[in-house]
Amino acid sequence: MPLMQSDQPIADRARRFAVAPMMDWTTRDQRVFARCLTRRALLYTEMVTTGAILHGSPRERFLGYHDSEHPLALQLGGSDPVELAECAAIAESWGYDEINLNVGCPSDRVQNNLIGACLMGQPELVARCVAAMQSAVSIPVTVKCRIGIDDQDEDQDLTRFVEIVAAAGCRTFIVHARKAWLQGLSPKQNRDVPPLNYPRIHRLKQAFPELHIGSNGGLKTLEECREQLAYVDSVMIGREAYQNPWLLAGVDHAIFGEADAPRTRDDVMLAFRPYIRERLAAGVRLNHITRHILGLYSGCRGGRAFRRHLSENAHRDGAGIEVVDDALALVEAPASALAG
């Protein structure tokens, strides 16, 4: 079923539910798999740095995607307005539906390159970056950030950050509900240790009713997403959508209100199978594809055997589609329908 026609950009219509950008996880193979589960959600690439796009070769390695992935956003990492504007224009020419600036990643490596969450301490620079990108493209330019960094006051400093960046023309902010501690916590710890503060995001929406404010961080169920949507404009799920991909099968109905017919996990694999063949024919190793589907049959009888068979065999030289078929044969019961 095609998306409803609207004067809104396609990314704006899809943003009500998005799958978060995640390094090493939201590759093109994962995104095509996700698209077999949800037609409506907005998908994001991994973060791609401006340096990779401007100086890496071939550019396909960093910007390539499958046509089925739309609506699709490119997340950029960088802090030079000129370079970001050039990369945004390149991304638009490649057909991306949105450009998102990473102002949330807390790793040391990106901090040293003035990328990610450290930019929350420099809202004027972020504003210049956003303005430069918007002047270069006609698609939406958005910002993904945290509620704060280090000793920043979550209310005062986040409000100031959004106020300054919005004045430069940014209309959409996706906010991770945890602070990022740039010193003392690892990137992994920054995903779990700082407490979640959804009310801070809700207050942000109240302060800026004219802006699109999205909530991200710690959401695990579609019911939790619906609860958030009573206060904010959109939700974004990361790790849970990756580790429990069947969750995405309920998005079009629960979040977008589509009256989907019940589907099964086997239907998803049937839809994904031609893509696996296509990628194998292009020389991609099977385990680079199947690592993203290991959680599909979680909770089903035979689900562990499915996961184990792929883990033990997909990496072997010459592994082909028959490895997937053999793994599917180990699922003992018919995959439960979406309505079940």
Side-chain angles (χ1 to χ4, degrees):
M1 180 177 181
L3 295 176
M4 294 176 60
Q5 295 300 307
S6 168
D7 292 335
Q8 286 183 301
I10 186 173
D12 285 350
R13 304 198 302 272
R15 191 172 293 111
R16 186 169 174 83
F17 182 99
V19 179
M22 293 175 283
M23 291 300 294
D24 299 323
W25 285 11
T26 50
T27 67
R28 69 170 75 182
D29 297 324
Q30 186 276 336
R31 297 190 306 261
V32 172
F33 175 55
R35 190 56 76 209
C36 293
L37 289 150
T38 168
R39 295 187 301 272
R40 297 295 303 269
L42 180 60
L43 304 180
Y44 281 78
T45 68
E46 307 167 88
M47 182 189 72
V48 182
T49 65
T50 54
I53 293 175
L54 296 177
H55 307 299
S57 180
R59 198 164 274 170
E60 166 76 17
R61 174 185 171 193
F62 305 102
L63 293 177
Y65 61 87
H66 191 271
D67 284 343
S68 67
E69 294 176 42
H70 291 289
L72 178 64
L74 173 72
Q75 187 181 66
L76 282 175
S79 57
D80 182 290
V82 174
E83 292 182 351
L84 283 166
E86 184 176 355
C87 289
I90 292 169
E92 184 175 36
S93 73
W94 275 66
Y96 281 91
D97 301 302
E98 174 193 307
I99 307 298
N100 178 262
L101 180 63
N102 185 324
V103 190
C105 182
S107 80
D108 293 340
R109 181 169 59 87
V110 299
Q111 285 183 57
N112 293 337
N113 291 303
L114 201 58
I115 297 172
C118 62
L119 288 172
M120 291 203 70
Q122 301 192 44
E124 293 84 0
L125 174 57
V126 175
R128 293 197 298 273
C129 291
V130 166
M133 287 189 286
Q134 288 189 319
S135 69
V137 300
S138 59
I139 57 177
V141 174
T142 67
V143 167
K144 186 173 186 296
C145 64
R146 295 277 185 139
I147 57 173
I149 54 172
D150 299 332
D151 293 321
Q152 281 186 341
D153 178 86
E154 292 178 6
D155 280 78
Q156 179 179 329
D157 289 306
L158 178 59
T159 298
R160 178 175 178 271
F161 174 85
V162 170
E163 187 172 50
I164 291 172
V165 178
C170 185
R171 313 312 296 166
T172 300
F173 296 82
I174 301 99
V175 186
H176 188 127
R178 288 186 172 94
K179 259 190 178 182
W181 288 94
L182 303 182
Q183 303 295 327
L185 292 182
S186 68
K188 182 179 185 300
Q189 289 172 319
N190 264 302
R191 292 193 294 267
D192 298 298
V193 174
L196 289 161
N197 188 350
Y198 298 123
R200 171 72 282 263
I201 304 176
H202 303 165
R203 292 193 296 274
L204 187 69
K205 176 59 185 177
Q206 292 171 353
F208 297 96
E210 74 283 6
L211 300 179
H212 180 111
I213 304 296
S215 181
N216 168 234
L219 298 173
K220 295 182 179 297
T221 69
L222 296 182
E223 180 57 36
E224 290 175 350
C225 290
R226 287 193 294 263
E227 291 171 0
Q228 286 296 307
L229 288 169
Y231 303 97
V232 296
D233 300 299
S234 63
V235 291
M236 176 183 280
I237 289 189
R239 283 173 291 165
E240 189 66 22
Y242 186 91
Q243 295 165 347
N244 176 26
W246 186 241
L247 175 146
L248 295 177
V251 165
D252 294 355
H253 174 70
I255 304 299
F256 291 95
E258 291 194 355
D260 275 341
R263 290 182 295 154
T264 70
R265 291 167 171 85
D266 289 343
D267 292 332
V268 172
M269 286 305 302
L270 186 64
F272 191 50
R273 200 172 187 276
Y275 174 81
I276 298 176
R277 284 191 173 278
E278 178 184 322
R279 291 288 276 167
L280 289 173
V284 177
R285 292 180 66 90
L286 182 64
N287 63 310
H288 291 175
I289 308 165
T290 56
R291 69 187 180 96
H292 303 296
I293 69 175
L294 295 178
L296 179 62
Y297 288 91
S298 179
C300 297
R301 282 183 290 174
R304 289 183 180 179
F306 169 84
R307 185 167 58 249
R308 183 170 60 249
H309 186 82
L310 290 179
S311 298
E312 293 177 353
N313 295 283
H315 70 280
R316 300 182 187 278
D317 290 341
I321 195 71
E322 69 281 352
V323 173
V324 176
D325 294 338
D326 290 343
L328 287 170
L330 297 172
V331 181
E332 298 172 11
S336 59
L338 181 60

